[in-house]
Amino acid sequence: MQKTHIAENNFETNTLSKKQKERVKWLLILFLVIGFVIAAFSQNATSNETYTTLSTFEPSIKNAIKFTDLPEIIDTVKKINSIKYGINSQPLFPKYNVTKIEQAKLQNEPLPKIYHSLLKAGYGPIYNMPYGEFWISNARSRDMSYGAHLKHFSSTTHLENVGYGGFSDNQANIFAKKFYKKHTLTGDFNYERNVIHYYGYDTSINKVSNDYTKQIYNFFNPTVRLKSHYSDSTHINHDIKTSYYNFFNAFGEKENNIRLNADGQKFINKERVSLGLLADYYNLKQKTDTLNNLIVSVSPKWEANGKQTNVFIEFTPTLDNFYNTNKFYFYPKFQASYDIYQSIIIPYAGLNGGLIKNSFRNFMLENPFIDTTIKYKNTNNQINAYLGLKGSLSENTSYDVKASYSTYNNMYFYTINYNDLNLFYNRFSVVYDDATLLNVNGQLKYNFKEKLNFMLKGNYYLWHTKTLTRAYMKPDFDFTLSGVYNIQSKILVRADVFVLGNQWALSKSNQTNALVPKTINAWVDANLEVEYRYSKMLSFFARFSNIANQRYYRWDRYPSQRFNAMIGVTFVPF
């Protein structure tokens, strides 16, 4: 309140006019002068007067209280004896009533129906090509699975300027699986009958019947396999497979093979240790010779998998008893990979090798126009060193790029047999040579649910032979593009494009009659198939082969079919 009053006075003072301020100032000066005059006269009037005062008060001075020189410390903390610490706890029982939750009840959803059979049949009118395939199996079962598969595909084609090129491929397969608690027992029997004609000759020079160039291959192959499925690491998982095959042709050559392949593996902590065993024996009987070959190898392997690292080391000592001559090989195998970032970039490197068995059956599968009197040698892949990069570009796209360098002893190459007595020069012989191979390959995959899938892969080959002029019938590169497009599960479109690079063949010169290398040009083969699914049990398809209508050569003197078309139906009988 005082501060407020002063503020108001100041406000009033500030609000005085200029003349009023002058008057107040002169009044103050006048009062000061009058005051000084009165004080002066008063002092002179009382200077000679004496005053006497009577009182009983006697003034005195008390003694001063002095502090000592040494200060005393007075402890103000009181000592408490026998202090006991403790917590008196009492259990707390919350008053909470648990509400009972009713158990969830799942309704039994019906399992999708499994049909017992499937029939697929088609016909190509251009080259008179009937086609048929049939599958049959049991219904859904927890105990066992069994079924059969039959296939036929043939043609009576006769290409321009070459011999009769008809063929027939037939296959019958019976299989069964028995499921046990921790094992699966599998039995399989496969029979194949392939008929071909050596049509790679000039019909303007040689004219013979179709039976003269006919060749028939028969293949019988029973197999038994026992595989365990232990889920804990205390057991040793094993996979034992035994097989036998009998393979013979129309000219009397026969080959028998017995093969045992066993593998056992066990986890020790987080590392997997395995041991593989291979025993492979085959006997080949030709008209003029008999060949026995036994290959035995043992493969101990150690593998460790981390969050980002994967490493395995394997050693494969191999014994090759060929023509009663023993050779021992030792192949170290190693691979390491490291996940740099979330499976997007995974570099890897490795080293391996192995013995390649060259048998009558293996040669025929690669080149059906092989001569039946060739000489056999096994190929020793001494070393194969590789460096690669793989990963995923997205959840739908994956890639793999690799470069490798390999060295071979007794690598095989195909050349026309110019020592053939029939002078048709339409069968291939095999020549062997030491060689090195630089291979660069890549692969790209894209999968979008079940609608769109495609794969792109390719290889580049750089061969160097020791004595041969060229790596005969080995392409410089190959390229494959395959894709499937599913349109609302009603229309399926499949497309394939195959590209094979230049090849070298050994040809006889018309002028000098000498054998000289010649180039077989690269070629492209594009195929397209469209399938319309009318229902779950019925669909129709149309297949178009060699759309570019090229006459290309995979093997020297053997041209391919040109544009070909086939229409067919797929049906579920029961």
Side-chain angles (χ1 to χ4, degrees):
M1 294 298 294
Q2 184 179 0
K3 290 182 180 181
T4 305
H5 180 69
I6 294 172
E8 291 176 354
N9 291 339
N10 290 337
F11 176 78
E12 293 176 357
T13 306
N14 292 333
T15 57
L16 294 177
S17 64
K18 190 173 183 181
K19 291 182 180 182
Q20 290 176 345
K21 288 181 181 181
E22 291 293 333
R23 290 177 183 177
V24 172
K25 183 170 72 174
W26 286 110
L27 286 175
L28 290 176
I29 294 173
L30 180 61
F31 285 141
L32 289 176
V33 173
I34 296 173
F36 278 117
V37 173
I38 294 173
F41 282 109
S42 298
Q43 184 176 3
N44 291 332
T46 61
S47 62
N48 294 324
E49 294 181 2
T50 302
Y51 297 92
T52 302
T53 304
L54 298 176
S55 177
T56 60
F57 174 74
E58 293 181 1
S60 61
I61 300 172
K62 295 182 179 181
N63 294 328
I65 300 175
K66 297 180 180 180
F67 294 98
T68 60
D69 293 335
L70 297 175
E72 295 180 0
I73 300 175
I74 300 174
D75 190 2
T76 59
V77 178
K78 295 181 180 181
K79 185 176 181 182
I80 302 175
N81 296 325
S82 302
I83 298 177
K84 296 180 180 180
Y85 298 95
I87 298 175
N88 295 325
S89 61
Q90 294 180 354
L92 177 64
F93 297 98
K95 296 180 179 180
Y96 178 75
N97 296 325
V98 179
T99 303
K100 184 179 179 180
I101 300 176
E102 297 293 335
Q103 61 183 358
K105 296 180 180 180
L106 298 178
Q107 296 181 353
N108 293 329
E109 296 183 359
L111 295 174
K113 184 178 180 179
I114 296 179
Y115 297 97
H116 292 273
S117 61
L118 176 66
L119 175 63
K120 191 172 184 179
Y123 179 71
I126 299 178
Y127 293 105
N128 188 24
M129 302 176 67
Y131 160 74
E133 251 183 303
F134 180 70
W135 294 266
I136 185 172
S137 65
N138 65 322
R140 186 180 287 108
S141 174
R142 295 183 179 181
D143 298 327
M144 67 182 307
S145 172
Y146 55 87
H149 173 221
L150 304 174
K151 181 181 178 181
H152 171 80
F153 181 50
S154 63
S155 174
T156 57
T157 179
H158 198 147
L159 303 179
E160 184 181 1
N161 298 327
V162 291
Y164 175 73
F167 66 88
S168 176
D169 295 331
N170 301 276
Q171 181 181 0
N173 177 254
I174 302 174
F175 61 89
K177 285 186 179 181
K178 177 65 177 177
F179 304 107
Y180 298 95
K181 187 175 181 180
K182 296 295 182 180
H183 292 81
T184 299
L185 179 63
T186 304
D188 186 278
F189 178 79
N190 187 39
Y191 169 71
E192 296 178 10
R193 184 178 185 272
N194 304 102
V195 180
I196 61 117
H197 287 79
Y198 298 102
Y199 68 92
Y201 62 94
D202 190 352
T203 55
S204 63
I205 301 175
N206 302 291
K207 295 184 182 295
V208 294
S209 65
N210 297 340
D211 293 337
Y212 185 79
T213 59
K214 185 178 181 180
Q215 176 64 281
I216 302 175
Y217 297 105
N218 289 277
F219 177 71
F220 295 88
N221 176 217
T223 302
V224 178
R225 183 180 183 183
L226 178 65
K227 187 176 182 179
S228 65
H229 307 284
Y230 294 113
S231 57
D232 58 283
S233 59
T234 59
H235 290 82
I236 299 177
N237 273 311
H238 50 271
D239 187 0
I240 304 173
K241 181 178 179 181
T242 60
S243 63
Y244 165 80
Y245 75 73
N246 175 254
F247 180 67
F248 60 93
N249 64 5
F251 295 165
E253 282 78 18
K254 298 180 181 180
E255 184 174 87
N256 293 279
N257 176 263
I258 301 175
R259 183 184 178 95
L260 170 65
N261 198 332
D263 180 75
Q265 55 180 287
K266 178 180 175 62
F267 279 93
I268 301 177
N269 296 327
K270 295 182 180 181
E271 301 169 355
R272 182 169 63 180
V273 178
S274 62
L275 179 65
L277 172 65
L278 171 66
D280 191 352
Y281 171 80
Y282 80 94
N283 168 264
L284 174 64
K285 293 182 179 180
Q286 296 176 307
K287 291 182 178 180
T288 59
D289 196 6
T290 299
L291 169 64
N292 295 303
N293 185 207
L294 174 64
I295 300 175
V296 179
S297 65
V298 181
S299 303
K301 181 180 179 180
W302 173 86
E303 183 177 0
N305 297 316
K307 293 182 178 180
Q308 295 178 287
T309 306
N310 176 272
V311 178
F312 82 79
I313 300 174
E314 181 179 353
F315 301 98
T316 309
T318 303
L319 174 65
D320 183 20
N321 183 281
F322 191 86
Y323 269 120
N324 297 324
T325 301
N326 293 324
K327 292 185 179 180
F328 182 79
Y329 305 97
F330 184 77
Y331 302 103
K333 299 180 181 181
F334 168 79
Q335 178 174 300
S337 63
Y338 181 76
D339 186 355
I340 295 179
Y341 181 71
Q342 297 182 354
S343 299
I344 297 176
I345 302 176
I346 305 176
Y348 63 94
L351 181 72
N352 57 32
L355 186 66
I356 302 173
K357 183 183 73 172
N358 296 324
S359 65
F360 183 27
R361 167 73 176 174
N362 295 344
F363 282 141
M364 175 267 168
L365 291 176
E366 185 175 13
N367 184 354
F369 309 109
I370 194 75
D371 201 336
T372 59
T373 59
I374 62 175
K375 294 182 180 179
Y376 292 89
K377 294 181 181 180
N378 291 333
T379 300
N380 176 22
N381 181 198
Q382 294 176 310
I383 187 173
N384 177 38
Y386 56 91
L387 179 66
L389 186 68
K390 63 182 180 179
S392 300
L393 300 177
S394 67
E395 62 179 358
N396 301 321
T397 309
S398 62
Y399 69 94
D400 189 355
V401 181
K402 182 175 69 173
S404 63
Y405 178 80
S406 306
T407 60
Y408 298 92
N409 288 337
N410 297 327
M411 187 62 193
Y412 62 90
F413 303 92
Y414 296 107
T415 61
I416 292 293
N417 183 11
Y418 289 100
N419 296 321
D420 198 345
L421 298 178
N422 61 16
L423 302 179
F424 278 21
Y425 308 138
N426 58 347
R427 301 180 187 180
F428 285 90
S429 183
V430 175
V431 293
Y432 300 90
D433 194 10
D434 296 342
T436 62
L437 172 63
L438 175 63
N439 175 228
V440 180
N441 65 75
Q443 181 174 285
L444 180 67
K445 290 184 178 181
Y446 178 81
N447 298 313
F448 181 70
K449 299 180 180 179
E450 296 182 358
K451 293 184 178 181
L452 179 62
N453 301 313
F454 78 84
M455 180 185 64
L456 173 66
K457 64 179 181 179
N459 287 275
Y460 170 75
Y461 308 96
L462 182 60
W463 286 95
H464 286 285
T465 53
K466 185 176 181 181
T467 58
L468 295 177
T469 307
R470 296 286 188 272
Y472 297 113
M473 302 311 301
K474 302 289 185 181
D476 295 337
F477 64 89
D478 60 57
F479 173 86
T480 302
L481 174 62
S482 301
V484 179
Y485 183 48
N486 188 340
I487 304 175
Q488 298 181 351
S489 298
K490 295 293 291 184
I491 300 176
L492 272 71
V493 180
R494 301 180 180 91
D496 299 289
V497 179
F498 304 100
V499 182
L500 198 71
N502 293 334
Q503 301 179 89
W504 288 93
L506 193 61
S507 178
K508 181 175 287 190
S509 175
N510 295 329
Q511 290 79 15
T512 62
N513 211 29
L515 299 179
V516 294
K518 74 172 183 179
T519 303
I520 299 178
N521 295 329
W523 49 265
V524 178
D525 189 352
N527 306 313
L528 178 66
E529 180 178 342
V530 180
E531 179 182 358
Y532 172 68
R533 294 178 175 176
Y534 179 78
S535 66
K536 292 183 179 180
M537 302 181 65
L538 180 63
S539 64
F540 305 91
F541 68 89
R543 186 181 302 162
F544 307 96
S545 303
N546 196 1
I547 298 176
N549 197 29
Q550 287 191 347
R551 182 184 172 97
Y552 59 83
Y553 290 81
R554 173 59 185 96
W555 304 106
D556 186 23
R557 294 176 175 262
Y558 284 87
S560 68
Q561 297 177 353
R562 293 184 182 270
F563 175 77
N564 187 20
M566 176 180 289
I567 56 175
V569 59
T570 302
F571 177 63
V572 178
F574 54 90

